[in-house]
Amino acid sequence: MISKRRFLTLGIVIIICFSFYLYRLADLQLINTESFTDKGINLVQESVNQRTQEVLIDDGRGRFVDRNNVSLKKDAEPSLVLFPFLKDISWSSDKLSNLVNVPSTELERLVQNTKEPIVLSSKDGVELTNKDLKEINELEIPGVFGIFQQTTIDESVADHIIGITGENAETLREKYPDRSDLSYKTKIGVTGLEKTFDEFLLPDAETKLLYHVDGDGNPLFGVNVKYIADSNPFYPVTVETTIDKDIQEVAEDILTNQNVENGGLVLLDIQTNEVLAMVSKPDLDRSHSSTLTNHMIRPLFPGSVFKTVISAAAIEYGLDDANRKFNCNLNLYGEDDGGQDDGLLSFERSFAKSCNYTFTTLAKELLKKDQNAIEDIAGKLGLIGHIGWSGEVFHYDQFKQFPDEMAGSIWGDETDKNVPRAIDQTAIGQKDVKLSPMAVANMMATIARGGQKHEVRIVENILYKNGTNMFSFTSNKLEGENISPYTASRLQELLRLVVTDTEGTGRRFQSSPFEVSGKSGTAQTGKKNIEGETLYHKWFAGFFPSNNPKYALVVVEMDTTSANAGTNAVFYDMVAELAKF
C-alpha cells in the first residue's frame, strides 16, 4: 500500500513538472513570443537578431539642434561599411582604395580578420565627402556601402540641458503601455530635455543595413544586404532649442579655464527671454548621480543680489529718499562691531557698496507698511514661482520645458516677519531666501526690459522630419503684476552705479568692452572646507550693454572660499567674448 502511494505521489509530481515545462515551452513558442517577461522581450525578433549582422545607421530617436539648426548631440558622419563576406568573394578593392585613400591590402586585411561589419569614418582616418559616398555606391560592390551614419558628437556640449538617455524596460512599459512596437532595449530620456520631450523623441523605426548569416557566420541567402529605412515622412522629429552652440561652448570653456568646478551660469536673450547658454558644474558624469543635477534651476542662497528686490520695494513704496543717509559703520543688526567703516551713505551708494545696514533698515520699514511687500515685489520681478515656459501642448494641459525647476522661497516661516534678526538676514539674501540662477537672470532681464516679465524659453519649435512645424512655443508673459516703468528705470540706474562708482562692488567691469550693469552677492552657506575655511556662494548678476540691453547674465560659484572665487572673472570673460559675437 505504501509503495503504491509513493508511486502515485511520484507520478503526480512528474506530471506537474512535465505540465509546467510544456506550459513554459508554449509560453516561449506560442503565447508571449512578442512580449516575453515584464521587459516585453520580442523572442521572434531576438531569434532573427541571432541570425543577422547589421549596421545601425540611425536609431530613429529625435534629435536636438541649436537656434541656427546646428546639431547639439548627434551628427551624421560620412562612413564606409565593409561586410565580412567580402573575404569569400572577388571584389574590386583597388577601385575602392583609390576613392577612400586606404591601401587595397589594408582593406582586404580588415575584412579578412573580422566576423562583424566594419565601419570606417574620420575617427579611423577615413575622410569622406558626399561625392565620395556617391562614387562608392556607384561601384556596386556587394558588401560595400557609403552611408551617413548617426554618431554622437565627440565633444559634448550642453550636457545638463540636453540630458541623457538609458535603457529601462520596466519604466518604458509603464510610461508607454500603448507602444508595444517599442523594443525593450529602446532608450528613454532620463534627465534634461531628453526626459522632458521623451514622448516626441521616441523612435518610430531604425534605419540599418541588414545581412543574414548561418550559425557559422556564412551567408544565408547569398550576398544580398538589405537596406531597412523608416518611410515615415514625419518622424523622427527635431527639437529646435534656443541655445547658441558657439556661445554655449565659449561659456563652458570659460568656466573650465577659471577653475569653477561647482556652479555655473545662465545667459538670456533679453528681447526674447530665451536661454542662449546654460552651464552647470560639476560636469555631467553618468557614473556619479550627484553630477546629474542642473544647479541653474535649483534654489541657492543669493546673498546681496537680493538687495535688488529690497531696492525695488523701497522705490515702489516711496522709501528711496535721495537726501536720506544711512550709517554704514553699523552691521546688519545695527551694531557697531568695528567690521564696517563706510560712514554715512545715501540709498544709491548703499546699493553700489552693498551696505547691509541700509537694506535691513529698509526691510523693516517695508514690513511695517505691508507684511507682504517683499514677496510681492519679488513676484513682480519674475523672481519666485516657476518661471520656465509652461502651457498646453497637445494632450498636456501644463507642459513644462523645465519640469525639474524648483521655485524659490523668501520666508520659511511667516512669524519671521515679526522677528527683527530674521528680517535682517532675509533682507541680505540669507535665512530662508533661496533663488535659482535662472530666476535671478530672469529678474535682470525683466529690469532691463523696463519691467515686463516673461517666462523663460529654451525650446522654440518641434519640427517634423520633413521640416514642417509640429509645434511652436510662443512667448508667454508671466502672470501677475509688473513693477512700474519708473521703478525699472531707477533699478537700471542703481545696477549701473554698482560698476561706475569708484568703490562699487562691480567696479572691475568698468574696463569691459560692453557697459555692464549688475549686482554682486556673497552668501554664507553654513559650511566649511577641510581646512576650516568658511564657504560661500559667490554671485554676479547683471545685463549689458547698459544703454541698449541685449544679454542678461548670471554667474554663480557655489561652496567656494571668497578669495578663490572665479565668479567675476567668468562674467568679465563672457562679456568680452560676447562683444566679439
Side-chain angles (χ1 to χ4, degrees):
M1 181 67 73
I2 296 175
S3 179
K4 287 183 178 179
R5 288 180 180 175
R6 286 178 177 172
F7 277 117
L8 182 60
T9 302
L10 180 62
I12 292 173
V13 171
I14 291 173
I15 290 173
I16 292 173
C17 292
F18 185 67
S19 298
F20 172 78
Y21 284 118
L22 279 177
Y23 172 78
R24 187 65 170 171
L25 185 61
D27 190 32
L28 288 168
Q29 298 290 332
L30 301 173
I31 302 173
N32 289 311
T33 56
E34 295 185 1
S35 184
F36 185 66
T37 76
D38 293 339
K39 292 185 177 181
I41 300 172
N42 190 322
L43 296 174
V44 175
Q45 184 60 49
E46 290 299 313
S47 67
V48 171
N49 292 342
Q50 290 179 353
R51 301 191 305 274
T52 60
Q53 292 177 348
E54 66 178 46
V55 174
L56 184 65
I57 298 175
D58 192 321
D59 65 6
R61 186 172 176 84
R63 68 190 189 112
F64 295 92
V65 297
D66 80 345
R67 65 197 299 113
N68 300 311
N69 201 36
V70 178
S71 181
L72 288 173
K73 190 170 183 179
K74 295 188 246 182
D75 210 348
E77 184 172 16
S79 304
L80 170 67
V81 179
L82 304 174
F83 276 82
F85 65 73
L86 285 166
K87 60 176 171 282
D88 299 319
I89 65 174
S90 176
W91 60 292
S92 304
S93 59
D94 290 337
K95 292 182 179 179
L96 181 62
S97 173
N98 293 332
L99 286 176
V100 300
N101 294 317
V102 177
S104 59
T105 53
E106 176 63 13
L107 293 173
E108 292 171 2
R109 184 191 67 79
L110 288 171
V111 297
Q112 192 69 37
N113 297 326
T114 185
K115 293 183 179 180
E116 300 291 334
I118 294 171
V119 181
L120 301 175
S121 60
S122 59
K123 65 178 181 292
D124 306 296
V126 179
E127 301 287 348
L128 300 173
T129 64
N130 292 11
K131 180 183 177 184
D132 293 332
L133 297 185
K134 180 181 179 182
E135 292 180 354
I136 288 169
N137 293 325
E138 286 177 349
L139 292 176
E140 296 185 347
I141 302 174
V144 176
F145 298 90
I147 63 170
F148 278 99
Q149 186 182 42
Q150 179 193 82
T151 59
T152 301
I153 295 174
D154 289 338
E155 294 191 9
S156 60
V157 63
D159 283 343
H160 283 95
I161 297 172
I162 303 304
I164 60 175
T165 59
E167 292 180 12
N168 190 318
E170 288 80 7
T171 302
L172 175 69
R173 297 304 173 205
E174 182 181 335
K175 286 183 67 176
Y176 307 110
D178 299 330
R179 291 295 305 271
S180 58
D181 58 307
L182 296 174
S183 163
Y184 72 97
K185 292 184 178 181
T186 300
K187 291 183 177 181
I188 57 176
V190 177
T191 66
L193 295 178
E194 289 280 15
K195 178 182 177 182
T196 305
F197 288 85
D198 191 53
E199 183 173 347
F200 301 99
L201 298 167
L202 287 173
D204 195 51
E206 296 177 337
T207 300
K208 55 191 174 183
L209 294 171
L210 196 66
Y211 170 61
H212 294 277
V213 296
D214 61 20
D216 297 322
N218 298 316
L220 193 60
F221 303 118
V223 294
N224 292 323
V225 176
K226 291 183 178 180
Y227 175 75
I228 300 176
D230 180 14
S231 59
N232 192 322
F234 300 110
Y235 295 93
V237 302
T238 294
V239 175
E240 187 178 51
T241 72
T242 64
I243 297 297
D244 186 304
K245 185 179 180 182
D246 291 337
I247 296 176
Q248 178 74 25
E249 289 176 333
V250 165
E252 293 178 5
D253 289 343
I254 288 174
L255 283 163
T256 299
N257 293 339
Q258 294 297 345
N259 300 312
V260 175
E261 298 177 350
N262 199 13
L265 64 78
V266 179
L267 179 71
L268 300 183
D269 181 314
I270 288 174
Q271 183 178 357
T272 62
N273 224 43
E274 296 172 344
V275 178
L276 294 174
M278 180 183 287
V279 188
S280 179
K281 293 283 190 174
D283 293 333
L284 190 149
D285 183 347
R286 296 182 69 113
S287 61
H288 294 89
S289 59
S290 60
T291 67
L292 301 183
T293 300
N294 183 352
H295 294 290
M296 298 302 99
I297 57 175
R298 298 296 179 94
L300 304 168
F301 294 118
S304 293
V305 169
F306 192 68
K307 291 172 184 173
T308 309
V309 177
I310 304 300
S311 298
I315 296 166
E316 294 250 315
Y317 282 84
L319 299 178
D320 59 329
D321 185 351
N323 297 316
R324 185 180 180 183
K325 302 292 182 181
F326 297 86
N327 186 358
C328 290
N329 287 331
L330 303 180
N331 65 15
L332 72 158
Y333 303 120
E335 302 165 345
D336 190 355
D337 60 5
Q340 296 75 222
D341 60 352
D342 288 327
L344 297 176
L345 295 179
S346 65
F347 169 65
E348 288 80 3
R349 295 210 67 222
S350 292
F351 188 83
K353 297 188 68 174
S354 204
C355 168
N356 286 338
Y357 177 68
T358 300
F359 294 93
T360 59
T361 301
L362 290 171
K364 290 170 185 171
E365 293 175 3
L366 284 166
L367 292 179
K368 287 180 180 179
K369 285 178 171 285
D370 182 350
Q371 283 276 291
N372 299 318
I374 296 176
E375 59 263 44
D376 284 350
I377 294 299
K380 290 181 178 182
L381 288 166
L383 192 59
I384 55 175
H386 292 279
I387 53 94
W389 193 98
S390 65
E392 186 176 345
V393 178
F394 298 118
H395 60 274
Y396 294 99
D397 292 332
Q398 279 297 310
F399 183 89
K400 296 180 178 179
Q401 291 193 0
F402 299 93
D404 296 326
E405 176 197 359
M406 295 179 65
S409 62
I410 295 176
W411 301 102
D413 189 332
E414 284 291 309
T415 61
D416 284 346
K417 294 179 179 180
N418 300 308
V419 180
R421 287 197 167 232
I423 298 171
D424 293 338
Q425 293 167 18
T426 300
I428 63 168
Q430 295 281 178
K431 192 65 171 65
D432 295 307
V433 181
K434 285 192 172 183
L435 306 168
S436 74
M438 185 172 77
V440 174
N442 190 51
M443 175 179 71
M444 290 297 168
T446 299
I447 294 169
R449 278 194 300 269
Q452 297 298 315
K453 59 183 183 182
H454 297 275
E455 292 179 343
V456 177
R457 275 191 305 174
I458 198 166
V459 171
E460 187 169 5
N461 298 301
I462 305 175
L463 303 175
Y464 284 119
K465 179 181 177 180
N466 61 11
T468 59
N469 203 313
M470 177 183 185
F471 190 86
S472 290
F473 297 88
T474 56
S475 177
N476 288 347
K477 290 184 177 180
L478 274 172
E479 294 182 358
E481 297 179 2
N482 299 316
I483 58 172
S484 69
Y486 171 77
T487 299
S489 177
R490 290 281 285 120
L491 289 174
Q492 291 171 9
E493 294 171 1
L494 291 175
L495 292 166
R496 180 61 183 150
L497 188 62
V498 170
V499 176
T500 58
D501 191 289
T502 56
E503 296 179 295
T505 57
R507 57 188 178 278
R508 171 175 184 171
F509 303 108
Q510 291 175 5
S511 61
S512 292
F514 282 140
E515 290 185 352
V516 172
S517 302
K519 183 74 185 78
S520 60
T522 301
Q524 294 184 9
T525 64
K527 295 185 280 187
K528 296 181 182 293
N529 62 14
I530 56 175
E531 288 82 20
E533 298 173 298
T534 301
L535 298 178
Y536 303 91
H537 294 335
K538 295 286 290 186
W539 296 71
F540 198 88
F543 58 85
F544 52 93
S546 298
N547 58 348
N548 184 24
K550 181 173 177 60
Y551 303 106
L553 174 63
V554 170
V555 181
V556 59
E557 184 170 6
M558 304 185 303
D559 300 326
T560 180
T561 59
S562 186
N564 294 330
T567 308
N568 285 3
V570 171
F571 197 104
Y572 189 96
D573 289 350
M574 278 297 297
V575 175
E577 289 297 324
L578 287 167
K580 298 176 184 177
F581 280 89

